[in-house]
Amino acid sequence: QGRHWRQSVIQQTKLTDSKTKAEDALTAKYSQLASQFAAYTTLMTQMESSFSGLKMMIQQSTSSNN
């Protein structure tokens, strides 16, 4: 019976280790995705700003032609 108990403890330890590794991997992935999201947000903001400037130039150009 002691042998069975030891095997259960070993199995529990392995499961705990696997769980910890999976949580660490998820945390790292989440961090990576958060950084990518922040970079994409910055890029989109820059593109929106550029588009607004271009839109204003087009509007000025078309209004000065009328």
Side-chain angles (χ1 to χ4, degrees):
Q1 190 164 12
R3 182 177 177 202
H4 177 68
W5 180 81
R6 271 187 249 118
Q7 287 176 342
S8 294
V9 170
I10 291 169
Q11 184 178 11
Q12 181 67 34
T13 302
K14 287 179 182 179
L15 288 172
T16 301
D17 290 346
S18 293
K19 179 181 177 264
T20 301
K21 288 177 184 176
E23 288 173 340
D24 290 347
L26 283 173
T27 300
K29 187 64 174 179
Y30 179 79
S31 179
Q32 176 193 7
L33 291 174
S35 296
Q36 287 178 339
F37 182 79
Y40 289 141
T41 299
T42 300
L43 182 61
M44 289 184 348
T45 301
Q46 291 170 347
M47 292 176 78
E48 286 173 352
S49 178
S50 296
F51 179 73
S52 293
L54 177 60
K55 184 178 175 183
M56 188 185 320
M57 289 171 56
I58 292 170
Q59 288 172 341
Q60 289 173 348
S61 174
T62 57
S63 67
S64 65
N65 288 339
N66 291 335

